[in-house]
């Protein structure tokens, strides 16, 4: 039984596209059921419609508080039977209640090697510090800013003369590779959040369990 999954975005949706492409090509354990954006103009919505996915816009500006927006988001996800969430360039903080409700069932992609450079302006910070390597991280979302347990990471070099755009594009290519894989692992139950820590079950062990 595949896991009913929603992707939540705010913008271009290139990670959403990677998740869609993998879903169509690789028969993953996640089943895409819904794409939600807090921005009506998000280009990612066009990608979702082209893929035949239901889309929903929940405009945060229409809500008096963060908690009210999150409650509406939560209800919309529940109404559609969603069990797993991928935040793919969703650029809003979520309230503690929402994060607790979805603990272990909500993952996020961030364009740095966490715990380095959480928050915004990631590539600018990486270039300013002069790091020789950067990358991206897929994490379980917790109550902090990009502080959740790490599911997967990929590393890229920072080259002499790199602009923020050069680095962003090099990192983005790796985001597109690892995010669908990490989502699939979580949907399979091969990667889990237990007491705030990531626990991995090798594929072989699972097959062993099934045979018993
Ligand atoms: C991606 O680089 C993602 O890692 C970043 O926003 C971009 C969205 O691009 N997310 C964050 O910085 C979250 N802290 P996309 O809309 O083309 O997928």
């Amino acid at each position: 039984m595949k896991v009913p999954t929603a992707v939540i975005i705010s913008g271009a949706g290139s990670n959403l596209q990677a998740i869609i492409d993998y879903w169509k090509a690789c028969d993953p354990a996640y089943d895409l059921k819904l794409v939600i954006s807090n921005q009506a103009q998000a280009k990612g919505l066009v990608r979702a419609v082209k893929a035949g996915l239901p889309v929903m816009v929940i405009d945060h500006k229409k809500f008096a508080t963060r908690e009210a927006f999150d409650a509406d988001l939560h209800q919309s996800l529940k109404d559609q039977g969603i069990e797993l969430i991928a935040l793919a360039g969703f650029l809003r903080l979520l309230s503690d209640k929402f994060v607790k409700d979805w603990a272990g069932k909500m993952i996020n992609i961030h364009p740095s090697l966490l715990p380095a450079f959480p928050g915004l302006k990631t590539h600018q910070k990486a270039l300013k510090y002069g790091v020789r390597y950067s990358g991206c991280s897929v994490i379980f979302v917790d109550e902090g800013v990009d502080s959740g347990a790490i599911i997967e990471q990929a590393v890229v070099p920072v080259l002499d003369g790199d602009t923020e755009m050069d680095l962003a594009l090099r990192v983005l290519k790796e985001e597109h590779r690892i995010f669908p894989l990490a989502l699939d692992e979580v949907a399979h139950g091969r990667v889990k959040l237990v007491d705030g820590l990531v626990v991995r079950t090798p594929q072989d062990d699972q097959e062993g369990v099934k045979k018993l």
Side-chain angles (χ1 to χ4, degrees):
M1 172 61 182
K2 292 183 185 251
V3 183
T5 300
V7 183
I8 309 184
I9 62 168
S10 296
S14 69
N15 277 290
L16 164 66
Q17 188 67 58
I19 289 168
I20 290 171
D21 292 347
Y22 187 94
W23 176 56
K24 294 203 163 172
C26 300
D27 191 29
Y30 64 84
D31 197 10
L32 293 182
K33 293 289 187 193
L34 180 63
V35 173
I36 298 180
S37 172
N38 65 312
Q39 300 281 359
Q41 304 306 322
K43 291 206 178 86
L45 289 171
V46 178
R47 300 177 188 270
V49 170
K50 274 192 187 150
L53 289 169
V55 298
M56 198 179 277
V57 175
I58 307 179
D59 181 354
H60 60 276
K61 294 189 289 301
K62 294 195 173 141
F63 296 84
T65 61
R66 183 179 305 283
E67 287 70 22
F69 169 80
D70 288 359
D72 194 281
L73 182 60
H74 178 79
Q75 199 51 53
S76 303
L77 293 160
K78 286 287 171 190
D79 288 348
Q80 300 303 315
I82 299 302
E83 292 174 20
L84 182 61
I85 301 172
L87 301 181
F90 177 63
L91 301 179
R92 276 186 67 76
L93 296 176
L94 292 160
S95 54
D96 287 0
K97 178 172 182 347
F98 188 94
V99 170
K100 281 201 182 86
D101 284 342
W102 291 93
K105 295 171 183 170
M106 176 164 56
I107 72 172
N108 186 28
I109 182 94
H110 183 75
S112 77
L113 289 176
L114 291 169
F117 314 133
L120 299 174
K121 300 190 177 171
T122 315
H123 304 300
Q124 190 188 94
K125 289 179 200 162
L127 292 176
K128 189 170 165 220
Y129 271 86
V131 294
R132 303 304 280 157
Y133 296 92
S134 190
C136 51
S137 309
V138 182
I139 58 172
F140 282 111
V141 179
D142 73 0
E143 287 89 345
V145 176
D146 301 320
S147 57
I150 293 167
I151 300 166
E152 190 54 273
Q153 291 185 305
V155 180
V156 304
V158 180
L159 304 179
D160 291 341
D162 264 356
T163 62
E164 279 180 50
M165 185 59 79
D166 293 333
L167 183 55
L169 290 175
R170 197 174 304 124
V171 169
L172 200 56
K173 204 169 159 203
E174 289 301 298
E175 292 184 40
H176 298 163
R177 186 176 66 78
I178 67 168
F179 200 16
L181 290 172
L183 185 60
D184 195 13
E185 288 297 287
V186 174
H188 267 292
R190 293 199 284 256
V191 177
K192 283 186 182 149
L193 187 69
V194 181
D195 296 333
L197 297 175
V198 164
V199 174
R200 296 184 169 85
T201 311
Q203 205 163 350
D204 290 353
D205 286 8
Q206 291 212 335
E207 278 163 11
V209 169
K210 270 184 216 150
K211 276 181 213 148
L212 290 174

